[in-house]
């Protein structure tokens, strides 16, 4: 039967008025804002973490002193490692919110789009990083687990056989002295480059930054900050592999 109006199409089941998905508990704008805030927390963390790790070039004494400072900061107001655990809990909560938001928004997008897929997209760096956000996010999540097992908890085979709690410099050098670990860290940081770059640019819109000049500044930062962070991080396993850093 040929349908001539939407009313006929609905009556004969050709189209439906039913929504493609149920009304969500949390609105999408709230999830996007939550992801932007938690993403900013992660961005600040990786910057500080990278700068702190560069102290490894100053030698074992300075690097171990930095590691000990992280454990004692806040004393005597807070117990030993008290501030460190506050940071860890904040990062863990941010990670849960960030992952939940990513999965929820991806699911909603898929349901709303239905069987149709976007085609003929303009190619470029932004398009590539957009398409790879979920993949790079999964890679980074797995890397975080590996990183904790390697240099925080000290569980083999992620950690080296000579791992010893409190010996931050020796643990780092011993870990990166293994070629496969150095490769894992380098590849994970390349994923971080893609994820952080697009994340900073997305946060620009999520925070409501619409001015042309401010958007140009944020676009510049979206390129510069990830490159500096990743370059600093990658330099350490490379320095160990080339023998510039050693025990």
């Amino acid at each position: 039967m040929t349908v001539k109006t939407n009313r006929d199409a609905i009556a004969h089941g050709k189209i439906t008025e039913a929504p493609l998905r149920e009304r969500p508990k949390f609105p999408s704008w709230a999830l996007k804002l939550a992801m932007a805030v938690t993403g900013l927390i992660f961005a600040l963390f990786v910057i500080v973490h990278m700068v702190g790790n560069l102290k490894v070039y100053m030698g074992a004494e300075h690097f171990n002193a930095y590691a000990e400072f992280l454990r004692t900061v806040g004393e005597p107001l807070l117990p030993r490692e008290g501030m460190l655990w506050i940071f860890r809990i904040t990062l863990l909560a941010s990670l849960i919110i960030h992952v939940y938001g990513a999965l929820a928004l991806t699911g909603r997008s898929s349901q709303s789009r239905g069987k149709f897929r976007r085609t003929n997209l303009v190619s470029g760096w932004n398009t590539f990083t957009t398409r790879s956000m979920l993949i790079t996010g999964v890679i980074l999540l797995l890397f975080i687990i590996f990183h904790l097992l390697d240099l925080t908890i000290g569980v083999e085979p992620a950690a080296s056989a000579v791992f010893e709690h409190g010996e931050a410099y020796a643990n780092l050098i011993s870990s990166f002295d293994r070629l496969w670990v150095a490769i894992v860290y380098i590849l994970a940081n390349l994923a971080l480059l893609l994820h952080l770059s697009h994340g900073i640019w997305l946060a620009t819109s999520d925070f409501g930054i619409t001015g042309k000049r401010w958007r140009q500044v944020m676009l510049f930062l979206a390129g510069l900050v990830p490159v500096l962070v990743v370059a600093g991080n990658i330099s350490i396993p490379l320095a160990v592999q080339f023998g510039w850093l050693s025990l």
Side-chain angles (χ1 to χ4, degrees):
M1 175 181 179
T2 302
V3 293
K4 298 181 179 180
T5 66
N6 285 345
R7 183 176 299 174
D8 293 334
I10 294 172
H12 290 83
K14 300 296 182 180
I15 60 175
T16 177
E17 292 181 304
L20 292 174
R21 57 181 172 83
E22 297 180 1
R23 184 180 182 87
K25 182 182 298 185
F26 302 106
S28 294
W29 68 263
L31 288 179
K32 290 181 178 180
L33 183 59
M35 289 191 68
V37 172
T38 53
L40 178 61
I41 292 174
F42 291 137
L44 293 175
F45 170 75
V46 295
I47 293 172
V48 173
H49 188 59
M50 182 272 294
V51 172
N53 283 343
L54 290 181
K55 289 184 178 292
V56 71
Y57 290 108
M58 301 175 67
E61 182 179 352
H62 284 87
F63 192 70
N64 288 336
Y66 165 68
E68 181 63 18
F69 164 76
L70 293 179
R71 301 186 188 98
T72 59
V73 63
E75 290 184 352
L77 180 62
L78 296 174
R80 179 177 172 82
E81 295 192 0
M83 184 62 70
L84 193 58
W85 274 105
I86 291 176
F87 290 147
R88 287 170 176 169
I89 293 172
T90 300
L91 289 172
L92 178 60
S94 299
L95 180 63
I96 294 172
I97 294 171
H98 201 80
V99 171
Y100 172 79
L103 295 177
L105 290 174
T106 300
R108 291 177 190 181
S109 176
S110 179
Q111 290 176 0
S112 297
R113 187 171 55 242
K115 64 181 180 180
F116 303 102
R117 294 292 180 267
R118 298 177 67 185
T119 59
N120 300 322
L121 292 175
V122 177
S123 61
W125 177 256
N126 247 358
T127 301
F128 177 71
T129 54
T130 300
R131 289 175 171 175
S132 63
M133 281 297 279
L134 189 59
I135 297 174
T136 54
V138 172
I139 292 173
L140 291 175
L141 179 59
L142 295 175
F143 172 70
I144 290 171
I145 297 172
F146 175 81
H147 184 60
L148 292 173
L149 294 175
D150 180 14
L151 295 177
T152 301
I153 304 174
V155 177
E156 294 185 61
S160 68
V162 295
F163 179 90
E164 183 178 348
H165 289 283
E167 296 295 330
Y169 183 88
N171 292 337
L172 185 144
I173 301 299
S174 298
S175 183
F176 287 161
D177 196 41
R178 299 170 295 169
L179 179 60
W180 71 272
V181 174
I183 293 174
V184 166
Y185 272 80
I186 291 172
L187 293 178
N189 272 277
L190 293 180
L192 175 63
L193 175 65
L194 298 175
H195 201 84
L196 185 58
S197 175
H198 193 63
I200 293 175
W201 180 241
L202 282 179
T204 301
S205 298
D206 293 335
F207 283 130
I209 301 175
T210 57
K212 182 178 179 180
R213 290 184 178 180
W214 271 110
R215 289 181 70 85
Q216 289 176 337
V217 170
M218 294 303 297
L219 181 60
F220 175 74
L221 292 177
L224 178 63
V225 172
V227 169
L228 293 178
V229 170
V230 171
N233 287 339
I234 287 179
S235 72
I236 300 174
L238 289 178
V240 175
Q241 284 295 314
F242 286 116
W244 302 332
L245 288 173
S246 59
L247 295 174

